[in-house]
Amino acid sequence: MIILGIETSCDDTCIAIYDTKYGLIANNKYTQPIHTIFGGVIPKFSSIYHLNKLISIIKSLLLKLKITNINAIAYTAGPGLYTSLLIGAYIAYSISYTLNIPIIGVNHLEGHIFSAMINKTKPHFPFISLLISGGNTQLIDVHNIGHYKLIGSSLDDSLGETFDKIAKVLNLSYPGGEKLSYLSNFGKINKQLIPKILAYNINFSFSGIKTYYFKQKQLTKKHKYQYKANLAKSFEEYILNIMSLKCYKALIKYGRSCLIISGGVSANNNLRKNFINKLKNKINNFTIYFPEKNLCTDNAAMIAYVGAIRITSGEKLNNNIIIRPIWSLEKLKYPLLNILY
Ligand code: KG4
């Protein structure tokens, strides 16, 4: 079965082709340049760009791959920006109606969780998922596909937003997470730049750490490149420490030994390299999974993949256009007859 994936929940216009026999065939992303000028996502511009771009990128991908037999469409139904979701959904429905093929609305967060399994060895259920993206920071206990319990989340900014804001302190342009990560390669950890960790429970809060680094703003203006690189490195070390501590608490509390880290911030090299060392001696049979780097930030491959699992598992589909700008994973309920995972 060949599935076309469409993802338009925020500021990236993404499409993908997933084949249930051969795996991921294509994964394309058009990153809207306009938001860099404003230093953040402007919803109105985001939907205008989706409207202008989506059909043309689908057309050129299908022509390039000479694909004429799409069997189903999976699109992001939420959570996300209302008008951006709406454009993705309407275009997806138009194609499905014209080609007379099934369509399925996928939860973006569920897509991020399963992005770690595309074309890879699959972990066994149950596991803990740490979802760290631009829009969300969540710890989820995953019993099975479609059975999720939210066990921790950010009380203020997401981790991605925090990276972007600290990057701004360092005069790096939006979105600054990846640039900060690059800068940290040239820095050394300065213990004075790492605040004390307070971890009473498994929720997150990043407002304190933001204020702490904003206070360094004057310093970074005066100081040279090396100081900024040290600040970036120390910030990343702080994040590694706090995130691994919260994950440890979650794994112990729910009796799990497998952790999946996904979402845009999971592309961070420091987290990818060092998270395992923080936990491997503390938890028996500990295993950790990350998505491939190009599948960490928003993408349509994860949407097509979840769509593929759900369709082939026998979910009964209906043809209503569904948009859910707010959509908790816990609200996801779909009866799967026979999970083919
Ligand atoms: O998953 P994503 O595309 O957004 C949502 O689904 O909401 O993640 C985007 C976020 C941005 O905040 C970006 O700065 C951050 O992921 N990011 C990174 C890295 N690459 C992207 N943060 C830290 N290190 C990176 N290498």
Side-chain angles (χ1 to χ4, degrees):
M1 173 180 268
I2 294 180
I3 291 161
L4 168 67
I6 295 178
E7 150 64 41
T8 60
S9 65
C10 192
D11 60 332
D12 292 313
T13 314
C14 313
I15 55 167
I17 305 284
Y18 185 82
D19 186 325
T20 48
K21 196 164 168 201
Y22 298 107
L24 187 61
I25 308 283
N27 182 33
N28 289 5
K29 177 189 296 207
Y30 171 74
T31 301
Q32 304 174 354
I34 190 146
H35 307 288
T36 308
I37 303 169
F38 296 95
V41 177
I42 310 290
K44 190 169 140 188
F45 290 139
S46 168
S47 44
I48 292 171
Y49 270 91
H50 289 314
L51 190 57
N52 285 339
K53 275 282 165 192
L54 188 54
I55 292 176
S56 67
I57 63 171
I58 293 174
K59 205 170 146 189
S60 46
L61 179 66
L62 295 182
L63 283 173
K64 188 174 150 203
L65 298 178
K66 299 191 172 67
I67 291 181
T68 48
N69 57 335
I70 298 170
N71 307 111
I73 300 192
Y75 72 97
T76 305
L81 301 173
Y82 182 79
T83 48
S84 296
L85 291 169
L86 204 59
I87 286 164
Y90 269 95
I91 291 177
Y93 270 89
S94 312
I95 301 171
S96 131
Y97 184 78
T98 312
L99 300 181
N100 195 21
I101 54 174
I103 181 161
I104 188 162
V106 171
N107 182 297
H108 178 83
L109 308 177
E110 192 178 31
H112 271 306
I113 295 176
F114 287 93
S115 63
M117 294 144 213
I118 301 174
N119 291 348
K120 279 192 166 189
T121 330
K122 294 171 185 28
H124 293 291
F125 294 105
F127 54 77
I128 297 285
S129 157
L130 172 66
L131 174 48
I132 39 178
S133 69
N136 294 277
T137 302
Q138 297 188 351
L139 271 166
I140 304 136
D141 186 38
V142 180
H143 291 251
N144 209 326
I145 298 171
H147 296 272
Y148 310 103
K149 184 177 163 68
L150 181 64
I151 57 174
S153 61
S154 177
L155 305 174
D156 38 58
D157 278 0
S158 70
L159 186 56
E161 275 175 300
T162 310
F163 262 90
D164 294 339
K165 286 176 181 167
I166 305 296
K168 212 168 176 179
V169 171
L170 300 170
N171 295 326
L172 302 169
S173 64
Y174 176 87
E178 195 179 347
K179 292 159 199 147
L180 183 150
S181 176
Y182 178 74
L183 179 63
S184 79
N185 291 329
F186 306 96
K188 286 200 187 98
I189 294 173
N190 174 350
K191 286 204 170 127
Q192 284 172 341
L193 288 174
I194 304 182
K196 192 166 175 267
I197 286 184
L198 299 171
Y200 300 117
N201 55 40
I202 49 178
N203 284 323
F204 304 92
S205 168
F206 299 108
S207 55
I209 185 74
K210 262 181 0 200
T211 314
Y212 181 84
Y213 285 106
F214 283 159
K215 284 190 184 157
Q216 313 291 329
K217 196 171 175 150
Q218 294 312 314
L219 290 173
T220 52
K221 269 192 183 159
K222 276 189 278 166
H223 285 67
K224 298 222 167 65
Y225 186 80
Q226 189 58 54
Y227 180 82
K228 291 186 183 179
N230 292 351
L231 195 147
K233 183 88 182 166
S234 308
F235 166 68
E236 279 197 340
E237 188 60 20
Y238 170 82
I239 294 300
L240 172 68
N241 291 340
I242 189 94
M243 300 316 277
S244 57
L245 182 60
K246 300 268 174 170
C247 286
Y248 170 72
K249 286 184 172 222
L251 289 158
I252 294 293
K253 186 169 174 186
Y254 290 86
R256 312 289 185 226
S257 59
C258 176
L259 178 67
I260 296 207
I261 307 186
S262 58
V265 185
S266 69
N268 184 275
N269 285 333
N270 194 32
L271 293 188
R272 293 176 84 92
K273 262 193 256 153
N274 298 320
F275 221 97
I276 185 141
N277 298 330
K278 294 273 178 192
L279 299 179
K280 72 175 179 211
N281 295 329
K282 293 185 181 167
I283 292 170
N284 286 340
N285 305 322
F286 177 65
T287 47
I288 190 164
Y289 293 78
F290 288 93
E292 281 168 21
K293 268 202 161 184
N294 64 330
L295 298 177
C296 291
T297 50
D298 287 353
N299 65 82
M302 63 188 193
I303 303 302
Y305 181 65
V306 171
I309 298 175
R310 287 175 50 194
I311 293 171
T312 53
S313 298
E315 184 178 340
K316 202 167 172 294
L317 306 179
N318 67 49
N319 279 337
N320 301 334
I321 296 188
I322 309 161
I323 302 288
R324 294 200 174 107
I326 298 170
W327 192 9
S328 158
L329 276 170
E330 289 183 313
K331 295 253 157 71
L332 266 179
K333 290 220 164 30
Y334 41 78
L336 297 182
L337 302 177
N338 173 27
I339 294 178
L340 303 170
Y341 163 65

